[in-house]
Amino acid sequence: MTADEIGELLGPVAAGWLALGLTVYRGGWYVPNGDDPQQQVRVFHDHVMIGWTQEPHRCPGEREYRSVEYTDREGLMYGPTYPGGGMPVDPIAAHRETQQGARS
């Protein structure tokens, strides 16, 4: 995705992610409950997925960001919703914090 596409979908904070060296793709790898996989946005740093956004069922039309906390044996990724429900300015730092919290 381009910075303009990211900004249009996720807002101006997320539009700066490419400047951090992140790669952002639209489309999910696994979407539960038959949701549209095009509603997910995956965020990569150095070819590793560090987070994703999705449209929460409780708030259609909105987006929530999740940092990858762990990956199960089938390769499915899990992680907490970013605090405050917004988009992180720095997804790399958000991922680092999530990983540190998982080890505590």
Side-chain angles (χ1 to χ4, degrees):
M1 296 179 71
T2 67
D4 288 340
E5 291 170 328
I6 296 167
E8 185 176 319
L9 183 65
L10 303 176
V13 168
W17 292 350
L18 298 182
L20 298 173
L22 300 174
T23 305
V24 180
Y25 296 103
R26 188 164 191 168
W29 75 100
Y30 167 75
V31 183
N33 306 321
D35 290 346
D36 180 2
Q38 289 301 310
Q39 293 304 312
Q40 283 188 344
V41 173
R42 298 174 293 147
V43 181
F44 289 82
H45 180 244
D46 291 335
H47 306 287
V48 175
M49 190 168 133
I50 62 169
W52 72 96
T53 72
Q54 62 189 34
E55 187 175 88
H57 288 282
R58 68 187 179 288
C59 302
E62 293 186 18
R63 315 283 296 164
E64 64 184 12
Y65 184 86
R66 293 178 175 266
S67 286
V68 174
E69 184 172 23
Y70 71 94
T71 305
D72 70 12
R73 287 185 285 189
E74 284 94 35
L76 299 178
M77 296 178 187
Y78 299 87
T81 302
Y82 185 71
M87 298 294 136
V89 172
D90 184 349
I92 300 166
H95 181 249
R96 190 178 311 115
E97 290 168 12
T98 298
Q99 294 294 301
Q100 289 172 348
R103 284 179 269 211
S104 300

